[in-house]
Amino acid sequence: MPPESSSGPENNTLSELLDRSMPADPGAVAAVVDTISETLARLDVPEQKRFEVALAVQEALANAVVHGCGNDPSKQIRCQVKSAPNGRIVIIVTDPGPGFRPDQLPDPKRGENLQADHGRGVYLIRQLMDEVQFGSNGNEVRMWKY
Amino acid sequence: MDINVRKRAQVQVVQLRGPLRMGAAVDGLRQTLQEALNNGDTNIVLNLAEVSMIDSSGIGLLVRFLADTKQIGGNVKLVQPNKYAVQTLRLVGVLNLFEVFDSDDAAVESFA
């Protein structure tokens, strides 16, 4: 995975579009995802790109709720959306959980995993976004859309 | 998500409207499909024409019920998934697990 410096602008050149905290409640995910979609629509981001960002954020927030917070609504998840001068967008999802090792996840397209009822979230994020970085503790994901 | 169920010629036709994602939408569809199986209805058509998003939770539900119904001689068939649903199902490699039709009629008739 490329180092953060390869993503172009440093953090101090990014403009904040959104900064939301939400309880770790499955029912709270949709509102944040929809707000981000609406924000990107106002910026005239094309529909295809909005869809891909929305689904990636949906998956990142769902992972944070279920795995980062154990479905405990007393815990908070933070979701930031920033844009770079070159039009690139980064979404940062942070949870208070212990994190995970993204390199140890099984391939959801291999063998019996294809028929599993879980285990596709991180794979989808990586497919939908242009660059994905997991924080060293695994409890923060930075997702870039170019 | 709106879920509308009709029975046509021994086939449960489930019309969905809205994003199929974690929370109330996936829980509601899971309940609907489980009730169908409990009633012995194992031939299921899911009309996805108005489903704007399917997340991994929704994919997991579809794949699981496909396996469950096939195990007892039934099937889950999809109708008119939009381009985003097709993209998502293809990305995770499960699109080919399902039979896909252009209309409810064609999907229902395929069970005959």
Side-chain angles (χ1 to χ4, degrees):
Chain A
M1 192 169 294
E4 180 152 0
S5 58
S6 72
S7 304
E10 299 297 328
N11 278 341
N12 59 8
T13 66
L14 297 175
S15 302
E16 185 171 285
L17 299 176
L18 204 69
D19 187 353
R20 288 287 168 89
S21 290
M22 55 166 266
D25 176 349
V29 172
V32 176
V33 172
D34 292 346
T35 300
I36 292 172
S37 287
E38 290 159 12
T39 300
L40 299 183
R42 282 198 297 274
L43 296 172
D44 292 328
V45 173
E47 183 183 275
Q48 175 72 36
K49 192 182 283 191
R50 291 204 309 271
F51 164 75
E52 292 172 354
V53 169
L55 183 51
V57 174
Q58 172 78 29
E59 298 297 341
L61 291 176
N63 276 346
V65 169
V66 176
H67 302 296
C69 299
N71 284 300
D72 178 352
S74 70
K75 295 180 177 174
Q76 291 283 309
I77 296 161
R78 187 179 183 193
C79 182
Q80 300 163 271
V81 184
K82 301 179 181 185
S83 67
N86 59 7
R88 294 180 178 185
I89 298 161
V90 60
I91 298 98
I92 306 160
V93 173
T94 312
D95 67 60
F100 69 106
R101 293 280 305 275
D103 55 328
Q104 293 183 348
L105 297 175
D107 181 352
K109 294 175 76 172
R110 180 164 295 179
E112 62 188 19
N113 297 338
L114 207 57
Q115 313 246 10
D117 63 0
H118 63 281
R120 299 180 177 89
V122 172
Y123 181 87
L124 266 175
I125 291 170
R126 285 179 159 146
Q127 295 296 312
L128 293 164
M129 301 300 277
D130 292 302
E131 189 175 333
V132 181
Q133 302 156 328
F134 292 92
S136 56
N137 295 327
N139 64 345
E140 177 183 287
V141 58
R142 288 172 176 253
M143 306 176 289
W144 285 90
K145 196 66 174 173
Y146 296 165
Chain B
M1 158 167 275
D2 292 334
I3 303 174
N4 180 32
V5 185
R6 293 169 293 136
K7 191 159 186 174
R8 289 180 50 188
Q10 306 307 310
V11 178
Q12 294 287 110
V13 179
V14 183
Q15 177 93 35
L16 305 174
R17 181 178 298 144
L20 178 57
R21 54 187 172 186
M22 185 178 80
V26 165
D27 292 345
L29 181 59
R30 181 183 293 111
Q31 185 177 341
T32 298
L33 295 177
Q34 192 59 58
E35 284 172 3
L37 290 194
N38 292 345
N39 292 333
D41 294 318
T42 59
N43 295 337
I44 295 168
V45 167
L46 290 180
N47 188 310
L48 301 178
E50 295 180 83
V51 173
S52 52
M53 171 193 284
I54 304 177
D55 75 354
S56 63
S57 174
I59 295 167
L61 176 66
L62 298 184
V63 169
R64 202 197 87 195
F65 268 88
L66 177 68
D68 288 351
T69 53
K70 280 191 162 180
Q71 204 163 30
I72 51 178
N75 207 335
V76 176
K77 303 188 181 189
L78 308 182
V79 171
Q80 289 185 310
N82 73 12
K83 67 174 182 176
Y84 298 124
V86 168
Q87 177 187 356
T88 307
L89 295 174
R90 186 174 283 142
L91 271 179
V92 296
V94 303
L95 182 62
N96 291 341
L97 300 179
F98 295 92
E99 291 180 54
V100 180
F101 295 86
D102 290 334
S103 69
D104 289 349
D105 288 346
V108 169
E109 286 165 12
S110 73
F111 280 105

